[in-house]
DNA sequence: GAGCACTGC
């Protein structure tokens, strides 16, 4: 059956392929097979086994033959010995057995859903199967495979380049922020999902690609969700574009249903490949645990006492909890070694803000027995969710899962994103358990009851799109040409209130006009990889004669904090920070620190050392520098002037403070009353305190703040003193007195208006 | 007088 349908299609497909050969698709003669002989190192298409293959009508056998040949069909060079070694292991992967089945399905449909568990080889193999069927060199369109994380895009691209026996950056490449390793010969490109989205803003039809593979779609990152919706639309206009959605098994059906293009269409076809993992035995507690950290520590010690050799992975929710648990485990293990001859244990904390060299330590070997023939040592890693997806550690046999993680939640009413310790989902619990079975059969100890697992845990973690502020997303979608956001076909549509809040904010920022259309400012703002407020501030900054400085501040605000404050040296760190402090605000303090850093660099100092001495993060300062360079390029393209007020000019800092308001006029707070430390945010009247990390010692009546943080109390963090008159001048629409509820802020604005009017009248009278 | 789940452009 399958064979005859393939033969039937052959004629028409062949016609297409020849057509596309005649057309020079991308203006680069290297891609035109008729000119290929002019190109010495790329001229083997005419003898290549690929020549006999017909696009969208190839077989697994043909591909295998091409792969087996002495000459590399993609480069014309002789295959290395290593290539054949790798080829052999590739053919042992579970996915290999289904290559023909995959091709049959790929040929018969425009969109297909592919599920494969870890170890199936889907991320490396499927794009290569597609490559041997798409034959991109005949028509010049690329194959893209997206990943949620940069490291994955880089390492998988390297792996696949090795498998195909080509140089990374040539036929196989990757593209991530700050690094594009692709070239004119590139046929297969790994990239982050965010990067593809950014490309789409300039190429909304994604016309450079003939096939787009979305990997790890089950993670449901914001970018993946937008891409899915976008691709679903594009697919209806571009019948030549193929789409593969790759996911873990659990939610395959949801993807299938979603990717049925029209209501009357059947669900998108599904291909499933088994993974290669070992069984993991699950244990539950008979009763709910009151204190999960305590229970987790106890469980780890118990494993160490009675279970055979094998490393332990414990999931907790954050840095503090992890460091605390590590200390407690370490003390107890010392006792066990002394009292009951237990084996040694190395304990490693693991969380995202840990510097990379400390993260690397988790890959150290487990310790040797203390004496010859003694009880074996083991490794215990205490990690956040980072070990659930981003980092895989081989050798884990025991997983301890208390069932919690910190999750971002967004409250559209108060417009606050915050982190909350919440129960994980079933999918997460399953993923965590799976970490125990990567190298041999393992055990997972869940510190909750089986009933709680079945009845209380939700199936899937809510996708990010339902838990985020969408201002940035909405701006991107407008730039992508989506007019009707209300009917835009998201897999999980965000709450209308979240959308309304985003539209409202973008309207106040003048990125959208009153009809919801993208303005010139909005279009320009979308070019920057920044939140809309920051982008608008940056674009407006030449009007305040300080775009150089605002560019620096913007970069510093878009990287993690540059201030280091070690627990054992807080005082010294604070003293150092005070050296950079500007009395008027933290934004200016940041700028001072950055200028000092650049100064040290220009003086030829050892900057790493200089940062260390000044309790500044070299890592984050240099990444701010990277961001600055990228933003600067975008400014130049958009002809946004780079200017400074001379430092000697008395308005140097005033201009910067005023410029901050151009993007952050909605993030202003007024002191509740003189002699109070409590502030009230404008319009939404939240009572807040200034975050203790501030370098500002004076108490000002009006401040602009960078972020609202909800922890033990409500704080505003990174603040700068402003004059309220500036608000009337810079954001007159937002500060229209009539739009304010009755209260202190409204009265203050009324008084302010009168003052301004009096002053103008006096000027006019003179 | 706090804290920083994790990504990404």
């Amino acid at each position: 059956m399958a064979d005859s349908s393939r033969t039937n299609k052959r004629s028409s497909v062949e016609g297409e392929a020849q057509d596309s050969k005649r057309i020079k698709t991308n203006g680069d003669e290297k891609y035109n097979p008729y000119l290929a002989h002019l190109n010495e190192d790329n001229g083997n298409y005419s003898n290549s086994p690929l020549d006999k293959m017909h696009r969208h009508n190839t077989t697994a056998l043909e591909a295998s033959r091409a792969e087996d040949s002495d000459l590399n069909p993609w480069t014309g060079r002789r295959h290395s010995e290593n290539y054949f070694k790798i080829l052999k292991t590739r053919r042992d992967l579970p996915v290999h057995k289904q290559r023909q089945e995959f091709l049959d399905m790929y040929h018969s449909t425009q969109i297909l859903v592919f599920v494969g568990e870890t170890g199936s080889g889907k991320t490396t193999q499927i794009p290569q199967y597609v490559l041997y069927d798409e034959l991109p060199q005949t028509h010049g369109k690329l194959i893209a495979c997206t990943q949620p994380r940069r490291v994955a895009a880089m390492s998988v691209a390297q792996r696949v380049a090795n498998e195909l026996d080509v140089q990374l950056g040539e036929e196989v490449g990757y593209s991530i922020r700050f690094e594009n390793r692709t070239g004119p010969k590139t046929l297969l490109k790994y990239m982050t999902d965010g990067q593809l989205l950014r490309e789409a803003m300039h190429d909304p039809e994604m016309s450079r690609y003939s096939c787009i593979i979305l990997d790890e779609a089950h993670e449901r990152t914001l970018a993946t969700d937008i891409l899915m919706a976008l691709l679903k639309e594009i697919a209806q206009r571009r019948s030549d574009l193929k789409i593969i959605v790759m996911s873990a098994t659990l939610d395959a059906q949801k993807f299938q249903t979603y990717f049925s293009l029209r209501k009357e269409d059947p669900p998108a076809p599904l291909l499933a490949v088994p993974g290669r993992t070992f069984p993991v035995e699950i244990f539950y507690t008979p009763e709910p645990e009151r204190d999960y950290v305590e229970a987790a520590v106890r469980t780890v010690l118990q494993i160490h006492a009675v279970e055979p050799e094998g490393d332990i992975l414990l999931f907790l929710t954050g840095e503090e909890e992890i460091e605390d648990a590590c200390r407690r485990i370490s003390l107890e293990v010392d006792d066990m070694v002394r009292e009951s001859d237990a084996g040694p244990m190395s304990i490693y904390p693991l969380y995202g803000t840990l510097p990379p060299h400390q993260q690397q330590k988790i890959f150290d070997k487990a310790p040797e027995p203390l004496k010859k023939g003694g009880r074996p040592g083991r490794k215990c890693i205490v990690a956040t969710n980072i070990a659930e997806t981003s980092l895989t550690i081989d050798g884990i046999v025991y997983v301890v899962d208390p069932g919690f993680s910190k999750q971002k939640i967004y409250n559209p009413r108060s417009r606050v994103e915050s982190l909350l310790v919440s129960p994980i989902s079933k999918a997460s619990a399953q993923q965590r358990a799976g970490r125990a079975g990567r190298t041999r059969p393992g055990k997972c100890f869940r510190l909750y009851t089986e009933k709680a697992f079945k009845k209380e845990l939700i199936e899937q973690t809510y996708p990010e799109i339902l838990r985020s502020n969408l201002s940035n997303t909405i701006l991107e979608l407008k730039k992508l040409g989506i007019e009707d956001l209300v009917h835009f076909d998201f897999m999980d549509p965000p709450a209308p209130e979240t959308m309304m809040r985003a539209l409202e904010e973008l309207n106040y920022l003048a990125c959208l006009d009153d009809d919801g259309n993208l303005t010139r400012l909005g279009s320009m703002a979308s070019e920057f990889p920044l939140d809309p407020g920051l982008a608008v501030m940056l674009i407006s900054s030449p009007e305040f004669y300080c775009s150089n400085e605002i560019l620096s501040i913007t970069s510093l605000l878009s990287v993690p904090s540059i201030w280091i404050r070690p627990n054992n040296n807080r005082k010294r760190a604070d003293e150092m920070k005070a050296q950079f402090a500007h009395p008027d605000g933290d934004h200016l303090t940041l700028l001072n620190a950055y200028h000092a850093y650049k100064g040290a660099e220009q003086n030829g100092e050892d900057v790493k050392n200089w940062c260390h001495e000044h309790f500044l993060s070299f890592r984050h300062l240099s990444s701010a520098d990277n961001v600055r360079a990228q933003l600067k390029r975008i400014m130049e393209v958009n002809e946004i002037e780079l200017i400074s007020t001379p430092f000697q000019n008395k308005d140097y800092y005033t201009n910067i403070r005023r410029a901050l308001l151009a993007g952050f006029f909605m993030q202003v707070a007024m002191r509740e009353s003189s002699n109070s430390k409590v502030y009230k945010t404008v319009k939404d009247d939240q009572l807040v305190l200034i975050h203790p990390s501030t370098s500002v010692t004076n108490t000002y009546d009006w401040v602009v703040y960078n972020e609202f943080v909800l922890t033990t109390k409500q704080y505003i963090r990174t603040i700068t003193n402003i004059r309220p008159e500036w608000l009337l001048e810079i954001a007159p629409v937002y500060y229209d007195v009539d739009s304010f509820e009755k209260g202190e802020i409204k009265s203050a604005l009324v008084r302010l208006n009168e003052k301004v009017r009096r002053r103008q009248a006096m000027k006019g009278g003179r």
Side-chain angles (χ1 to χ4, degrees):
Chain A
M1 276 291 282
D3 270 349
S4 73
S5 73
R6 248 198 335 272
T7 341
N8 282 344
K9 261 199 297 160
R10 177 162 292 204
S11 55
S12 68
V13 173
E14 221 169 321
E16 260 173 48
Q18 279 173 4
D19 261 358
S20 60
K21 270 186 193 180
R22 246 177 267 135
I23 302 162
K24 213 170 92 176
T25 36
N26 71 348
D28 184 340
E29 66 273 17
K30 282 180 187 165
Y31 281 115
N32 186 328
Y34 292 111
L35 298 177
H37 62 282
L38 298 174
N39 210 314
E40 59 281 58
D41 66 337
N42 205 15
N44 282 288
Y45 291 138
S46 52
N47 304 321
S48 161
L50 301 178
D51 275 6
K52 298 181 193 77
M53 293 167 73
H54 300 278
R55 182 178 177 219
H56 292 176
N57 203 9
T58 67
T59 64
L61 186 67
E62 286 174 321
S64 283
R65 277 191 193 133
E67 286 172 346
D68 287 335
S69 63
D70 286 343
L71 293 185
N72 185 324
W74 305 104
T75 63
R77 291 191 294 264
R78 190 160 290 282
H79 271 136
S80 68
E81 225 168 278
N82 198 35
Y83 167 84
F84 291 103
K85 235 187 256 166
I86 305 177
L87 187 60
K88 208 163 156 270
T89 64
R90 284 175 57 201
R91 292 192 176 161
D92 283 338
L93 287 167
V95 65
H96 177 72
K97 286 194 200 72
Q98 279 158 286
R99 187 169 188 165
Q100 185 59 51
E101 198 184 335
F102 166 78
L103 286 172
D104 290 341
M105 203 174 274
Y106 186 72
H107 295 153
S108 68
T109 182
Q110 188 178 5
I111 305 182
L112 79 86
V113 177
F114 187 100
V115 301
E117 297 296 331
T118 35
S120 62
K122 65 176 189 308
T123 303
T124 52
Q125 303 310 299
I126 293 296
Q128 296 187 64
Y129 298 172
V130 171
L131 178 70
Y132 271 93
D133 187 66
E134 282 292 331
L135 304 169
Q137 80 286 3
T138 63
H139 53 87
K141 287 192 195 256
L142 313 188
I143 299 154
C145 178
T146 69
Q147 298 291 320
R149 282 167 292 279
R150 285 188 209 162
V151 263
M154 290 162 64
S155 59
V156 177
Q158 180 64 67
R159 169 74 198 173
V160 170
N162 290 346
E163 291 189 358
L164 285 169
D165 214 8
V166 302
Q167 279 285 318
L168 180 65
E170 305 266 306
E171 287 79 5
V172 177
Y174 67 83
S175 175
I176 58 176
R177 186 182 186 181
F178 304 128
E179 200 182 0
N180 180 4
R181 287 196 68 177
T182 63
K185 287 188 205 163
T186 301
L187 310 170
L188 168 59
K189 172 159 121 181
Y190 285 89
M191 63 207 300
T192 46
D193 46 15
Q195 185 73 23
L196 181 58
L197 201 56
R198 210 132 262 284
E199 274 188 14
M201 298 203 319
H202 292 279
D203 178 12
E205 294 299 299
M206 308 222 193
S207 58
R208 306 177 55 192
Y209 303 101
S210 66
C211 175
I212 292 174
I213 306 167
L214 299 181
D215 198 4
E216 315 288 5
H218 60 279
E219 288 193 28
R220 303 291 306 276
T221 66
L222 246 174
T224 300
D225 268 26
I226 302 170
L227 281 174
M228 287 198 294
L230 216 53
L231 285 170
K232 194 175 167 181
E233 280 206 339
I234 297 172
Q236 303 183 44
R237 299 190 294 265
R238 271 191 64 192
S239 58
D240 63 315
L241 177 70
K242 291 203 181 249
I243 296 160
I244 301 175
V245 180
M246 303 209 285
S247 146
T249 319
L250 229 60
D251 41 11
Q253 218 183 359
K254 187 167 181 175
F255 288 102
Q256 285 183 273
T257 318
Y258 178 68
F259 278 110
S260 136
L261 287 188
R262 282 158 293 264
K263 270 214 181 75
E264 62 275 18
D265 287 352
L270 171 80
L271 187 64
V273 169
R276 183 179 282 169
T277 50
F278 297 89
V280 175
E281 203 179 342
I282 310 275
F283 299 89
Y284 293 92
T285 52
E287 296 295 325
E289 293 287 350
R290 198 181 295 247
D291 177 348
Y292 66 83
V293 180
E294 168 63 35
V297 170
R298 214 180 336 112
T299 308
V300 167
L301 296 170
Q302 218 162 351
I303 294 170
H304 191 45
V306 304
E307 295 286 345
E309 198 172 353
D311 299 335
I312 306 171
L313 174 59
L314 162 61
F315 284 99
L316 289 176
T317 65
E319 173 174 348
E320 218 181 273
E321 213 173 81
I322 287 171
E323 295 291 353
D324 176 47
C326 285
R327 260 192 307 274
R328 279 154 73 174
I329 295 170
S330 163
L331 287 174
E332 296 281 348
V333 168
D334 288 349
D335 282 351
M336 284 170 71
V337 170
R338 252 195 321 268
E339 288 162 16
S340 58
D341 204 30
M345 186 193 271
S346 335
I347 303 152
Y348 300 107
L350 175 65
Y351 43 86
T353 46
L354 216 57
H357 68 274
Q358 263 180 302
Q359 284 191 10
Q360 280 303 309
K361 283 194 190 156
I362 60 164
F363 297 108
D364 288 356
K365 271 210 166 115
E368 293 293 311
L370 291 171
K371 48 182 186 271
K372 229 179 172 175
R375 306 268 298 272
R378 69 174 104 221
K379 186 160 78 170
C380 173
I381 294 159
V382 187
T384 60
N385 252 4
I386 194 170
E388 206 180 291
T389 45
S390 307
L391 270 168
T392 26
I393 315 141
D394 279 331
I396 298 292
V397 180
Y398 307 101
V399 163
V400 180
D401 172 21
F404 292 96
S405 71
K406 274 193 194 168
Q407 285 167 31
K408 187 174 75 179
I409 50 166
Y410 176 63
N411 179 345
R413 203 142 302 166
S414 58
R415 296 199 314 250
V416 175
E417 279 183 344
S418 53
L419 286 171
L420 193 72
V421 174
S422 330
I424 59 170
S425 64
K426 287 196 182 101
S428 246
Q430 197 178 312
Q431 177 76 13
R432 287 178 172 191
R435 293 303 194 197
R438 289 186 60 86
T439 37
R440 63 183 158 104
K443 290 182 179 176
C444 173
F445 299 88
R446 291 184 174 157
L447 305 182
Y448 37 92
T449 63
E450 186 165 13
K451 198 173 146 210
F453 175 79
K454 285 190 175 143
K455 298 246 168 83
E456 286 163 32
L457 299 195
I458 54 171
E459 291 298 322
Q460 298 285 338
T461 311
Y462 291 114
E464 203 184 352
I465 199 166
L466 300 184
R467 299 183 284 121
S468 308
N469 174 343
L470 294 182
S471 304
N472 212 354
T473 304
I474 300 289
L475 185 64
E476 273 168 11
L477 288 171
K478 286 282 178 183
K479 176 74 170 187
L480 286 160
I482 310 299
E483 306 273 322
D484 184 4
L485 288 167
V486 180
H487 296 104
F488 190 54
D489 189 8
F490 288 112
M491 193 170 204
D492 286 286
E497 193 173 357
T498 309
M499 302 263 268
M500 291 315 292
R501 277 295 193 179
L503 289 166
E504 184 189 58
E505 189 186 324
L506 290 166
N507 178 241
Y508 279 128
L509 283 171
C511 288
L512 298 179
D513 64 21
D514 292 346
D515 300 322
N517 299 314
L518 197 66
T519 60
R520 233 191 112 231
L521 176 64
S523 167
M524 215 182 258
S526 70
E527 298 275 324
F528 291 89
L530 295 170
D531 280 341
L534 281 170
V536 167
M537 170 170 88
L538 187 55
I539 297 167
S540 317
S541 59
E543 296 165 33
F544 301 88
Y545 312 104
C546 55
S547 45
N548 267 313
E549 289 71 23
I550 291 294
L551 171 59
S552 305
I553 291 173
T554 303
S555 313
L556 292 158
L557 292 175
S558 29
V559 298
S561 171
I562 61 166
W563 312 107
I564 292 179
R565 198 161 182 261
N567 282 330
N568 53 11
N569 223 347
R570 292 184 187 174
K571 202 162 159 248
R572 190 94 188 89
D574 290 347
E575 282 166 14
M576 279 300 176
K577 186 173 174 186
Q579 289 186 7
F580 302 115
H582 188 286
D584 271 324
D586 297 310
H587 297 89
L588 307 176
T589 303
L590 274 173
L591 184 68
N592 285 346
Y594 178 73
H595 284 159
Y597 163 77
K598 296 305 280 181
E601 196 179 63
Q602 268 159 25
N603 289 341
E605 289 193 48
D606 176 350
V607 219
K608 257 189 175 156
N609 197 30
W610 183 90
C611 284
H612 186 76
E613 282 169 3
H614 290 83
F615 290 87
L616 290 170
S617 161
F618 170 72
R619 202 154 51 99
H620 298 152
L621 272 165
S622 45
S623 112
D625 239 358
N626 245 338
V627 173
R628 194 182 190 279
Q630 188 192 26
L631 298 178
K632 188 167 171 242
R633 273 195 303 278
I634 302 173
M635 285 174 82
E636 282 159 1
V637 170
N638 287 279
E639 297 178 330
I640 300 166
E641 242 188 316
L642 273 160
I643 41 174
S644 294
T645 304
F647 188 67
Q648 298 74 17
N649 189 314
K650 67 173 174 37
D651 287 334
Y652 178 83
Y653 284 113
T654 313
N655 285 345
I656 298 172
R657 286 159 59 205
R658 285 163 52 89
L660 293 175
L661 288 178
F664 285 84
F665 56 85
M666 285 177 270
Q667 302 192 13
V668 167
M670 184 188 89
R671 194 142 66 108
E672 216 190 14
S673 64
S674 52
N675 71 33
S676 167
K677 296 247 173 204
V678 181
Y679 286 73
K680 198 175 229 181
T681 60
V682 290
K683 288 229 170 147
D684 38 27
D685 292 333
Q686 302 266 355
L687 295 180
V688 293
L689 292 170
I690 292 177
H691 197 272
S693 64
T694 187
S695 61
V696 178
T697 48
N698 297 341
T699 338
Y700 295 109
D701 286 343
W702 293 83
V703 295
V704 59
Y705 60 91
N706 180 58
E707 57 182 344
F708 184 108
V709 261
L710 179 64
T711 52
T712 47
K713 299 190 185 112
Q714 301 201 76
Y715 290 107
I716 48 177
R717 187 159 53 192
T718 314
I719 58 133
T720 286
N721 163 34
I722 55 140
R723 296 176 60 113
E725 301 88 293
W726 298 344
L727 295 170
L728 305 180
E729 186 192 323
I730 293 167
V733 176
Y734 191 78
Y735 284 92
D736 174 17
V737 175
D738 296 336
S739 69
F740 279 79
E741 302 273 332
K742 226 173 155 181
E744 294 98 326
I745 294 182
K746 181 166 181 145
S747 328
L749 288 172
V750 169
R751 282 196 303 275
L752 203 61
N753 270 311
E754 282 167 6
K755 196 171 119 189
V756 172
R757 223 170 296 137
R758 268 200 310 275
R759 212 182 288 163
Q760 275 166 351
M762 275 168 67
K763 271 189 202 161
R766 256 189 290 169

